[in-house]
């Protein structure tokens, strides 16, 4: 068997494995999946899977004969990762708003507690206004605090302990910080896919059958008109083919990632560029690999 024949057989065998690896990656970034990626830097299994996909795309010998099943699966993976990245961006924006609001609330609650604890003239009015903002348990505690007659009583101490703990929680936003860290870790993994896989896809022409389907859809949807016949030279036809069959022809998913509103998530991308020394066409380590 010729050397080129061996390469082709190897590619045919690897195609099934790469499709399996793409599916595994998609499961790892699915927010509904029980087994999700947590920390990119420590997840060599995830990075190995992505590296295998990227290497397959880059090293396939004849790009114009690239298997459409792998192309479509890889493109679908990038598209899915990009959509998830955008969803993460929205979640982080919402968490940032919640954090800012909690800090404002902590200041308001601190002021109310001081007013009630010192039995200032308007302390009852302050509690009444607080009903619009704070939960019932806080209001009940403020009322109990207002009725205490001595700062040395156990009731006073218990109320102040509970209220100060609530103020500290609002100031620290610990649960929000944990949620943000978890989402940002996922965003790093999604960005990693965007960098490694989307970049490799740019060198591969869109499979011919996809172009034919797109053209048929366009032909069906557009009104019938009589077009003048214009002959094209061989060079023009070649340039037209290249233009229509590259990854750039489709919506630029990686551009969507780069244009994300959360600059911090993008900065993480610069920290996760890793150089992995694998043999040609690694197939991904891990369970059932």
């Amino acid at each position: 068997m010729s050397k080129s024949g061996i390469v082709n057989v190897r590619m045919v065998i690897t195609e099934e494995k790469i499709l399996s690896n793409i599916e595994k990656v998609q499961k790892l970034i699915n927010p509904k999946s029980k087994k999700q990626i947590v920390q990119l830097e420590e997840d060599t299994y995830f990075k190995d899977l992505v590296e295998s996909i990227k290497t397959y795309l880059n090293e396939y010998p004849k790009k114009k004969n690239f298997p459409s099943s792998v192309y479509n699966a890889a493109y679908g993976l990038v598209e899915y990762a990009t959509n998830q990245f955008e969803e993460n961006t929205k979640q982080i924006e919402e968490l940032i708003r919640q954090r800012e609001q909690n800090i404002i609330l902590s200041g308001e609650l601190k002021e109310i507690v001081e007013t009630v604890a010192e039995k200032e003239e308007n302390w009852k009015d302050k509690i009444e206004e607080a009903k619009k903002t704070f939960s019932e348990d806080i209001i009940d505690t403020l009322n109990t605090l207002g009725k205490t007659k001595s700062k040395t009583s156990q009731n006073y101490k218990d109320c102040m302990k509970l209220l100060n703990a609530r103020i500290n929680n609002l100031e620290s936003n610990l649960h929000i910080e944990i949620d943000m860290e978890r989402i940002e870790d996922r965003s790093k993994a999604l960005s990693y896919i965007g960098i490694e896989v989307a970049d490799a896809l740019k060198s591969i022409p869109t499979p011919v059958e996809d172009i034919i389907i797109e053209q048929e859809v366009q032909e069906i949807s557009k009104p019938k008109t009589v077009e003048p016949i214009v002959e094209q030279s061989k060079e023009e036809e070649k340039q037209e083919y290249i233009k229509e069959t590259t990854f750039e022809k489709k919506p630029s998913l990686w551009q969507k990632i780069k244009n994300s509103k959360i600059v911090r998530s993008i900065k993480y991308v610069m920290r996760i560029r890793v150089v992995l020394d694998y043999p040609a066409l690694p197939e991904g380590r891990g369970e059932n690999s």
Side-chain angles (χ1 to χ4, degrees):
M1 184 180 288
S2 66
K3 187 175 181 180
S4 60
I6 294 174
V7 172
N8 289 334
V9 170
R10 185 183 182 190
M11 284 296 181
V12 170
I13 295 172
T14 311
E15 179 180 340
E16 297 178 1
K17 184 62 180 178
I18 292 302
L19 287 172
S20 174
N21 285 359
I22 291 173
E23 184 179 357
K24 289 176 183 176
V25 171
Q26 188 143 337
K27 286 181 179 178
L28 286 172
I29 62 175
N30 187 336
K32 296 180 180 179
S33 175
K34 292 182 180 179
K35 184 179 179 182
Q36 296 180 38
I37 183 169
V38 179
Q39 292 185 329
L40 178 65
E41 290 85 351
E42 298 176 8
D43 201 325
T44 56
Y45 174 59
F46 173 82
K47 289 189 290 188
D48 193 6
L49 288 172
V50 175
E51 181 72 11
S52 72
I53 298 165
K54 181 187 76 171
T55 306
Y56 184 91
L57 296 172
N58 285 333
E59 297 190 3
Y60 198 87
K62 294 183 179 180
K63 296 291 194 290
K64 66 179 182 179
N65 294 328
F66 192 86
S68 60
S69 59
V70 176
Y71 179 92
N72 292 330
Y75 186 90
L77 175 63
V78 176
E79 186 172 43
Y80 183 78
T82 303
N83 291 336
Q84 288 298 315
F85 187 93
E86 292 178 340
E87 285 301 313
N88 284 1
T89 297
K90 293 175 185 176
Q91 290 178 32
I92 289 197
E93 288 176 332
E94 179 58 31
L95 288 172
I96 289 173
R97 283 193 289 268
Q98 288 180 21
R99 183 175 62 184
E100 292 172 349
Q101 182 63 25
N102 284 350
I103 291 172
I104 293 172
L105 289 175
S106 70
E108 292 179 1
L109 183 57
K110 187 182 294 184
E111 181 183 338
I112 294 169
V113 170
E114 290 175 358
T115 300
V116 176
E118 296 301 324
K119 303 294 190 297
E120 294 181 14
E121 187 176 344
N122 64 336
W123 71 267
K124 291 183 180 180
D125 294 333
K126 285 287 186 181
I127 294 177
E128 192 63 31
E129 291 175 10
K131 290 180 180 179
K132 301 175 184 177
T133 308
F134 296 100
S135 60
E136 187 176 344
D137 65 318
I138 291 180
I139 300 302
D140 290 343
T141 306
L142 287 170
N143 278 320
T144 302
L145 179 65
K147 294 173 184 177
T148 57
K149 296 180 180 180
S150 171
K151 291 185 178 181
T152 59
S153 68
Q154 190 60 44
N155 264 354
Y156 178 91
K157 293 177 182 178
D158 290 343
C159 288
M160 290 299 292
K161 182 179 180 180
L162 189 151
L163 292 167
N164 284 328
R166 188 61 60 91
I167 290 170
N168 289 335
N169 286 340
L170 288 170
E171 285 179 338
S172 65
N173 289 290
L174 182 60
H175 67 289
I176 290 181
E177 295 295 337
I178 292 172
D179 286 345
M180 286 181 66
E181 184 176 346
R182 175 181 54 80
I183 294 171
E184 287 169 350
D185 281 336
R186 289 193 67 246
S187 290
K188 287 190 284 185
L190 296 170
S191 297
Y192 186 70
I193 294 171
I195 291 172
E196 303 298 337
V197 181
D199 190 59
L201 272 172
K202 291 180 181 179
S203 64
I204 300 172
T206 303
V208 175
E209 55 265 40
D210 288 356
I211 299 170
I212 293 173
I213 292 172
E214 288 177 9
Q215 289 175 343
E216 288 176 348
V217 171
Q218 291 172 5
E219 286 296 325
I220 293 172
S221 61
K222 73 180 181 180
K224 300 295 183 180
T225 56
V226 178
E227 298 289 343
I229 298 174
V230 179
E231 293 188 2
Q232 287 183 310
S233 67
K234 289 294 180 180
E235 183 61 29
E236 288 174 335
E237 289 178 355
K238 178 181 177 182
Q239 292 301 322
E240 185 70 19
Y241 175 80
I242 292 173
K243 181 180 178 182
E244 292 184 356
T245 60
T246 58
F247 181 75
E248 297 286 356
K249 179 67 176 177
K250 292 196 174 186
S252 180
L253 300 176
W254 175 225
Q255 196 64 37
K256 288 168 69 178
I257 291 180
K258 290 195 293 184
N259 290 337
S260 171
K261 295 177 183 177
I262 300 298
V263 177
R264 179 163 45 171
S265 295
I266 294 300
K267 286 182 179 178
Y268 277 139
V269 172
M270 304 307 296
R271 302 179 193 171
I272 61 177
R273 291 307 298 258
V274 292
V275 180
L276 304 175
D277 186 17
Y278 288 114
L281 299 176
E283 297 187 349
R285 297 191 306 274
E287 45 205 29
N288 302 323
S289 299

